[in-house]
Amino acid sequence: MGKKKKNGSRLKSGKENRQFFMPTLLSVSPAPHISALDTVRTVMLDVIIALIPALAWGIYKGGLNAFLIVIISVATCVLSEFVFQKITRRTVTVTDLSAVVTGLILAMLLPAECALYVPCIGGVFAIIVVKQLFGGIGRNIVNPALAARAFIALCWPAQLIKFTGGAAQTTALDTLNSGAIPKVSLFNCIIGNVPGSIGEVSAIALLIGFVYLLVRRVVSWQLPVGFVFTVALVSFAFPLTDGSNIGFML
């Protein structure tokens, strides 16, 4: 009788152990889930290299003010991350170059003639509000540079339409978005002889950076090609003419 009870206890104990270990077997560890030789720093360095062609052309077209915007944007992002992490007693991560990438992208989203305080305030917003307050790299829910650009558009919209000579102009993208045809040749749009933000003007320079990232296997072709194809398809199906939607059934 005692032996049976003992065996029953063993069976019960084994069942409890199985119940205990099952959740462990099914648990999912935090990201990253794929191990690789690449580090955040090496990936960010590749992104910086990929941005150089468009950045160089933008500075060439924008002149000294464009160069100052880039320097101020990058310096502000790096300094903001360093100071915030020091104050909050977090591990300082400025050496991973992610703040540098944010600063470069933010600068490239701005026109060369905008005021120099714009990248400064935008850099602080991007790093502290959008990135660090959400927990740092990989935890922010939106891209810091794009969020900072949206913040600037809300606060100082006039600063985002200053291009050549500080005058307000309409870019080729703005013209297309309004339903009109840009009064510039396709060749100039590809090369970059058009008004626009520092990193916007030269399509060929951006493609060079994209090819570099493909070769380095930092990105895959499916996502950007799928995005461009979708935008092209929707634009073709529902073109804009004089601000009105004209659609047709496919």
Side-chain angles (χ1 to χ4, degrees):
M1 188 73 180
K3 185 177 180 181
K4 186 176 180 181
K5 184 177 181 181
K6 186 176 181 181
N7 290 337
S9 299
R10 288 179 178 176
L11 290 173
K12 185 177 181 181
S13 176
K15 186 177 180 180
E16 289 175 351
N17 287 336
R18 286 196 298 272
Q19 290 176 346
F20 177 78
F21 285 111
M22 281 296 288
T24 305
L25 293 173
L26 296 176
S27 64
V28 179
S29 63
H33 303 293
I34 301 175
S35 299
L37 296 177
D38 291 328
T39 63
V40 173
R41 181 183 174 86
T42 58
V43 172
M44 293 299 163
L45 184 59
D46 279 331
V47 174
I48 292 171
I49 294 172
L51 292 176
I52 287 176
L55 185 65
W57 183 261
I59 292 175
Y60 168 75
K61 294 292 291 184
L64 178 61
N65 207 67
F67 177 75
L68 292 176
I69 288 172
V70 173
I71 296 299
I72 291 172
S73 181
V74 172
T76 301
C77 288
V78 173
L79 186 60
S80 296
E81 184 161 298
F82 177 82
V83 172
F84 183 87
Q85 290 175 337
K86 278 292 187 181
I87 292 174
T88 57
R89 297 183 180 180
R90 298 182 184 180
T91 303
V92 176
T93 59
V94 293
T95 56
D96 66 9
L97 301 179
S98 61
V100 175
V101 170
T102 299
L104 288 176
I105 296 176
L106 174 59
M108 295 172 73
L109 292 172
L110 300 175
E113 297 292 337
C114 73
L116 296 181
Y117 66 82
V118 173
C120 186
I121 297 176
V124 173
F125 182 86
I127 295 298
I128 295 180
V129 178
V130 184
K131 182 181 178 182
Q132 292 300 325
L133 290 182
F134 281 91
I137 185 172
R139 296 180 177 87
N140 43 282
I141 60 175
V142 293
N143 182 278
L146 293 177
R149 209 265 187 189
F151 173 73
I152 293 168
L154 289 174
C155 297
W156 305 282
Q159 292 293 332
L160 297 180
I161 56 175
K162 289 183 177 180
F163 299 108
T164 306
Q169 294 188 33
T170 302
T171 68
L173 291 177
D174 291 331
T175 304
L176 287 170
N177 190 50
S178 68
I181 302 299
K183 295 180 180 179
V184 291
S185 66
L186 181 60
F187 177 79
N188 284 332
C189 287
I190 293 174
I191 297 299
N193 291 325
V194 291
S197 300
I198 295 173
E200 171 190 355
V201 290
S202 179
I204 194 169
L206 293 172
L207 285 174
I208 291 172
F210 174 59
V211 171
Y212 173 81
L213 292 178
L214 284 178
V215 172
R216 291 285 297 166
R217 297 184 178 181
V218 175
V219 298
S220 59
W221 64 269
Q222 290 90 343
L223 184 60
V225 171
F227 174 80
V228 172
F229 175 77
T230 302
V231 172
L233 181 62
V234 174
S235 300
F236 178 74
F238 304 100
L240 285 173
T241 304
D242 296 328
S244 302
N245 284 320
I246 300 177
F248 60 90
M249 299 299 294
L250 292 176

